[in-house]
Amino acid sequence: KNQVEQSPQSLIILEGKNCTLQCNYTVSPFSNLRWYKQDTGRGPVSLTIMTFSENTKSNGRYTATLDADTKQSSLHITASQLSDSASYICVPGGADGLTFGKGTHLIIQP
Amino acid sequence: DARVTQTPRHKVTEMGQEVTMRCQPILGHNTVFWYRQTMMQGLELLAYFRNRAPLDDSGMPKDRFSAEMPDATLATLKIQPSEPRDSAVYFCASGLTRDGKFPLFNSPLHFGNGTRLTVT
């Protein structure tokens, strides 16, 4: 069964600090991995998409990494801003489609 | 900026009543997905359509849920009769797929802002 584990479940950091969110998955066969950002009361918005052969992908202050051998991905946020407060959802894709993690709830404090 | 539009944004209803949620996908996208999100389960796939044809609805309780796509600009999700355990946020998403379930690599899923359903 496809599974996604994200850690931590929640995180509070001060504005301007960096943080890294983790994702472990068991999806087989694996094809690509997506990270979505979901603001409160809104739908998820795509941040990055990586194939199994890519190790890193950046989108502004967001950098995703992927290790397909160990089935791990991370999302690094640099110089956090108040608008980064949201849930971040890891989504590996395989033959059965997309499997959504439960997300990491990130709060940025001023 | 193209977007997926969902209506209503909020719906409060009593147990046993019929609920209809609507979605307007992005023009040109060939696949429409319905998801349900709860705190406990996260996002769960309920059903999806490709080129308006239903491909899979195994994720939803068929005795009370039904999904249709009467035309390319409208997808509907209906619950009849509704129950308290149906309370959740329902999302519609659209995208481009080759075989229905798996989005093309360079095509992210675009989500609407959801319908928050409360059944009392």
Side-chain angles (χ1 to χ4, degrees):
Chain A
K1 181 183 177 183
N2 295 336
Q3 291 187 317
V4 184
E5 294 291 333
Q6 292 190 242
S7 61
Q9 283 189 323
S10 60
L11 181 63
I12 301 173
I13 64 172
L14 293 176
E15 184 180 11
K17 297 297 185 183
N18 303 335
C19 67
T20 300
L21 314 180
Q22 301 290 344
C23 173
N24 294 335
Y25 61 90
T26 53
V27 170
S28 184
F30 170 73
S31 178
N32 66 43
L33 189 131
R34 300 155 186 253
W35 282 92
Y36 279 83
K37 177 187 180 189
Q38 185 175 17
D39 293 320
T40 301
R42 314 281 281 187
V45 174
S46 179
L47 289 177
T48 62
I49 305 174
M50 291 183 289
T51 66
F52 62 88
S53 61
E54 293 182 286
N55 298 121
T56 186
K57 181 72 69 77
S58 291
N59 178 359
R61 294 179 297 102
Y62 300 101
T63 299
T65 65
L66 174 64
D67 185 335
D69 291 332
T70 62
K71 301 187 190 310
Q72 295 180 324
S73 178
S74 66
L75 181 69
H76 185 76
I77 304 175
T78 304
S80 61
Q81 300 176 358
L82 296 178
S83 59
D84 293 330
S85 294
S87 287
Y88 292 85
I89 304 172
C90 173
V91 189
D96 292 332
L98 302 180
T99 302
F100 286 79
K102 293 183 181 178
T104 291
H105 186 54
L106 177 64
I107 297 173
I108 309 299
Q109 287 188 337
Chain B
D1 220 12
R3 63 175 69 181
V4 175
T5 303
Q6 290 187 248
T7 57
R9 288 298 313 277
H10 303 274
K11 176 72 176 179
V12 180
T13 191
E14 292 183 346
M15 182 172 63
Q17 296 298 305
E18 178 178 296
V19 175
T20 298
M21 291 169 270
R22 294 177 174 80
C23 167
Q24 181 176 353
I26 292 174
L27 193 64
H29 284 179
N30 63 1
T31 307
V32 175
F33 301 81
W34 282 105
Y35 288 91
R36 176 171 60 186
Q37 187 176 44
T38 62
M39 291 292 291
M40 294 298 294
Q41 298 295 329
L43 277 160
E44 302 173 277
L45 179 64
L46 297 176
Y48 65 100
F49 296 76
R50 187 167 188 271
N51 295 325
R52 294 178 53 204
L55 290 191
D56 189 349
D57 61 1
S58 60
M60 64 185 194
K62 293 190 188 53
D63 57 336
R64 299 185 300 109
F65 284 58
S66 61
E68 296 180 344
M69 198 161 177
D71 62 62
T73 65
L74 177 65
T76 63
L77 180 67
K78 187 176 297 185
I79 307 174
Q80 168 63 21
S82 58
E83 297 180 1
R85 58 180 167 153
D86 301 329
S87 296
V89 182
Y90 291 81
F91 287 102
C92 172
S94 71
L96 291 171
T97 72
R98 189 180 296 111
D99 61 2
K101 185 177 287 188
F102 199 77
L104 291 175
F105 166 64
N106 60 348
S107 173
L109 283 189
H110 294 261
F111 284 81
N113 284 325
T115 294
R116 180 175 293 277
L117 174 65
T118 302
V119 183
T120 60

